Amino acid sequence: MTKNLLLFSFLFLANFLFGQKIVSAELQESLTQEELSDRLALFPAQFGVDAYKVLYETADTDGTIDTASGFVVLPIKSTADQQFPFLAYQHGTSASRDAVPSNPENGERLLVYFFAGQGYYTTAADYLGLGDSRRVIHPYIHADSEASAGIDLVKATKTFVEELDLPISPQLFLTGYSQGGHASMAMHRALQTSPIPDLLVAAGSHMSGIYNTSGELLDASISEAVYNFPSYVVWIIVGYQSVYGNLYDNLSEIFRPDYLEDVRGFVNGTITRATLNDLLVETLTENHGASIPRFMLTESFINAFENEPDGPFQTALRDNDLFDWVPETPLRMMYCTADEQVDFTNATFTDSLMNANGAADVASVDVNTEADHGGCVIPASLATLIFFEGFAERPLILSTQRVDISLQFSLQPNPAKDYLTLSFDNTFSPNQDYQLRLVGMNGQILQSAVTNNLQNFYFPLNDISSGVYLMQIQTDNGFWTEKVVVRRG
């Protein structure tokens, strides 16, 4: 008993320590607030950033230690005294091994810049089997390895930020898009059971993800419906085989002869996932008139899939479902009804089940009814930022005066466009002046006013760009600050 306990303690300590270690950190670029705003275009940055490619240690699915790669973007602290929260972004399905956030040519890393530019220490794991990871096959839509790769990067980045002597808020926010929605949901679940010391999940917003893996992928795999992404089905099968080892002995047991060469090319790394998809769609269309993934699968596999509910593939799919747990922190699932790649019912079904099981703050949100999978990225990300800003804390001291709770006020509308109306619960003396300031998250005063009448005060937002700001009121006795979101257009 004692020997087993010591072995368990050693393995736990080893896992905890390597999960905090960055092997290397390469500064890829530094951007000022203006440079980052120009690059993002859509939503002005509140801070400049330093962007790093990092190598860090994380566990492979067999327990061995791999050196994986990731992308870390740190907002540059202004002269104000600020603590930034952490945000873990998990990326979507990669077209190739190198199509990952740490690659400067990858377009999705703009979302990492987007969140970091609003004042979050932002991480984006490349995942096992992608980027610089030694693993050959990426375990696609495998919840546990997605979670561990993301969590270990956050742990390592926390240590890195502490070594840089940067102030840290004890908050962690979780998000991701497409496959990243599945991955960030997996992180959310894992961190509820085993939180990172001194860094607790404040909220999660999972975007256009597959949470009902067994239901969604069953339909895509063996139904006779047209599905233009058959490579996803292949990747899940070979990825799960690399983890569980019991789905097949030979690829010919799963795939018909017309598709074997292309599938083997993908498994061997001679063709990318994007190329595989093009080849499969072409062959399926030529043979059957449309891209219907069922027709690339053998009859024996389909029969087993349909008639053996406890078969290895069905069991693996259920093992990676993410709908049947009860979040203890606020959770949103952002989706678009017209998404052609990930059915929106993943979000609505998961929402219904979590709430039926007693979740306190879970909701699915249709951010754009008409947007497809690609078009959903921007509205989902903006909705996620606004959701997170309701919880994010970045202590920002703009005055040596003490906080005065008697100055508490509410803002309407929020998000705002052209103006703000400030409402107060208390009665103020008309004989003193009240200093009103609209402050950027970097501490810069953008607009100000002085008044001795605080009854439904009207504050115009002249030439204020879309972004997150602080509205502050100050008197000789102290100050009070509230957060406001400005949305143009």
Side-chain angles (χ1 to χ4, degrees):
M1 177 71 74
T2 302
K3 182 178 180 180
N4 290 338
L5 179 61
L6 288 173
L7 178 60
F8 173 79
S9 299
F10 173 78
L11 291 174
F12 176 82
L13 181 60
N15 181 69
F16 178 79
L17 290 176
F18 80 67
Q20 287 187 314
K21 182 179 179 182
I22 281 189
V23 176
S24 65
E26 172 195 352
L27 180 64
Q28 290 184 323
E29 64 178 342
S30 294
L31 298 172
T32 66
Q33 178 187 1
E34 293 76 16
E35 289 170 338
L36 182 55
S37 294
D38 287 343
R39 183 172 299 184
L40 294 173
L42 176 69
F43 206 82
Q46 305 296 316
F47 299 91
V49 296
D50 289 328
Y52 299 84
K53 176 181 178 178
V54 303
L55 299 179
Y56 68 104
E57 293 182 341
T58 189
D60 204 336
T61 57
D62 62 359
T64 60
I65 298 175
D66 193 0
T67 300
S69 52
F71 188 45
V72 173
V73 184
L74 307 179
I76 300 172
K77 186 170 71 74
S78 71
T79 55
D81 185 13
Q82 294 166 295
Q83 294 178 338
F84 295 119
F86 278 82
L87 185 149
Y89 176 79
Q90 302 288 80
H91 71 80
T93 302
S94 296
S96 67
R97 186 180 183 94
D98 296 328
V100 290
S102 68
N103 183 350
E105 302 301 317
N106 178 248
E108 192 174 357
R109 68 194 251 138
L110 281 176
L111 290 177
V112 187
Y113 280 119
F114 166 70
F115 288 112
Q118 303 306 316
Y120 295 87
Y121 294 130
T122 307
T123 66
D126 288 345
Y127 303 150
L128 292 173
L130 298 175
D132 291 2
S133 166
R134 294 190 296 269
R135 199 179 204 279
V136 177
I137 298 293
H138 166 57
Y140 185 56
I141 311 294
H142 180 247
D144 288 347
S145 61
E146 288 171 337
S148 62
I151 291 169
D152 287 342
L153 180 56
V154 172
K155 289 179 179 178
T157 302
K158 181 174 181 289
T159 300
F160 179 56
V161 169
E162 290 170 342
E163 291 173 351
L164 293 175
D165 198 28
L166 298 175
I168 298 174
S169 160
Q171 292 183 304
L172 171 62
F173 295 87
L174 305 171
T175 190
Y177 193 83
S178 193
Q179 179 190 358
H182 182 269
S184 61
M185 181 76 86
M187 285 184 69
H188 202 154
R189 183 182 66 175
L191 287 169
Q192 182 163 297
T193 303
S194 302
I196 299 172
D198 303 319
L199 193 61
L200 299 179
V201 174
S205 177
H206 315 299
M207 304 182 287
S208 297
I210 296 177
Y211 320 116
N212 182 13
T213 310
S214 58
E216 173 80 2
L217 296 177
L218 177 67
D219 291 341
S221 300
I222 65 171
S223 72
E224 295 192 17
V226 173
Y227 185 62
N228 289 315
F229 305 93
S231 62
Y232 294 179
V233 177
V234 174
W235 206 354
I236 289 167
I237 292 173
V238 300
Y240 284 177
Q241 172 68 12
S242 75
V243 175
Y244 301 104
N246 63 347
L247 272 66
Y248 55 83
D249 293 320
N250 192 291
L251 283 168
S252 62
E253 299 169 26
I254 308 294
F255 300 101
R256 292 177 182 270
D258 284 357
Y259 308 93
L260 269 176
E261 181 180 355
D262 294 333
V263 171
R264 286 189 176 123
F266 171 69
V267 172
N268 296 333
T270 58
I271 63 173
T272 67
R273 198 276 308 165
T275 299
L276 173 67
N277 199 77
D278 291 341
L279 292 170
L280 293 176
V281 169
E282 180 181 350
T283 306
L284 284 166
T285 302
E286 181 179 332
N287 290 348
H288 303 284
S291 177
I292 302 174
R294 178 187 178 98
F295 296 141
M296 68 184 184
L297 304 172
T298 63
E299 283 300 325
S300 60
F301 177 74
I302 293 172
N303 288 335
F305 200 19
E306 291 178 327
N307 300 311
E308 298 176 14
D310 294 324
F313 191 31
Q314 297 94 317
T315 301
L317 289 173
R318 288 195 298 272
D319 190 44
N320 293 283
D321 282 334
L322 293 171
F323 54 78
D324 197 10
W325 63 288
V326 182
E328 296 173 355
T329 49
L331 184 151
R332 296 292 180 270
M333 286 164 282
M334 308 298 182
Y335 70 90
C336 292
T337 301
D339 191 327
E340 81 287 7
Q341 293 191 39
V342 179
D343 196 284
F344 74 93
T345 56
N346 274 279
T348 54
F349 169 77
T350 302
D351 171 2
S352 298
L353 189 58
M354 286 180 170
N355 280 294
N357 288 338
D361 190 1
V362 168
S364 55
V365 182
D366 186 355
V367 295
N368 188 318
T369 302
E370 299 179 355
D372 62 10
H373 194 66
C376 198
V377 174
I378 291 175
S381 299
L382 290 174
T384 291
L385 177 64
I386 292 169
F387 174 58
F388 286 170
E389 285 300 315
F391 303 95
E393 298 174 359
R394 303 179 190 83
L396 178 62
I397 300 174
L398 302 173
S399 169
T400 57
Q401 303 284 344
R402 67 179 180 85
V403 173
D404 185 351
I405 62 173
S406 70
L407 292 173
Q408 293 181 63
F409 57 92
S410 61
L411 300 168
Q412 296 293 333
N414 195 5
K417 181 178 180 182
D418 299 314
Y419 68 92
L420 286 168
T421 298
L422 286 70
S423 301
F424 302 83
D425 297 330
N426 301 317
T427 302
F428 297 95
S429 168
N431 297 321
Q432 66 173 317
D433 288 335
Y434 297 91
Q435 307 285 333
L436 282 71
R437 306 188 188 101
L438 185 69
V439 184
M441 296 302 289
N442 60 1
Q444 180 184 5
I445 297 174
L446 303 174
Q447 201 161 299
S448 62
V450 178
T451 183
N452 59 11
N453 182 4
L454 289 174
Q455 300 304 313
N456 295 319
F457 186 82
Y458 179 89
F459 191 92
L461 297 174
N462 298 328
D463 300 321
I464 301 298
S465 301
S466 296
V468 182
Y469 302 92
L470 300 175
M471 175 59 72
Q472 184 183 80
I473 293 181
Q474 183 167 347
T475 68
D476 292 339
N477 297 323
F479 67 92
W480 188 264
T481 303
E482 294 287 348
K483 191 179 301 180
V484 60
V485 175
V486 176
R487 295 178 67 181
R488 298 291 186 189

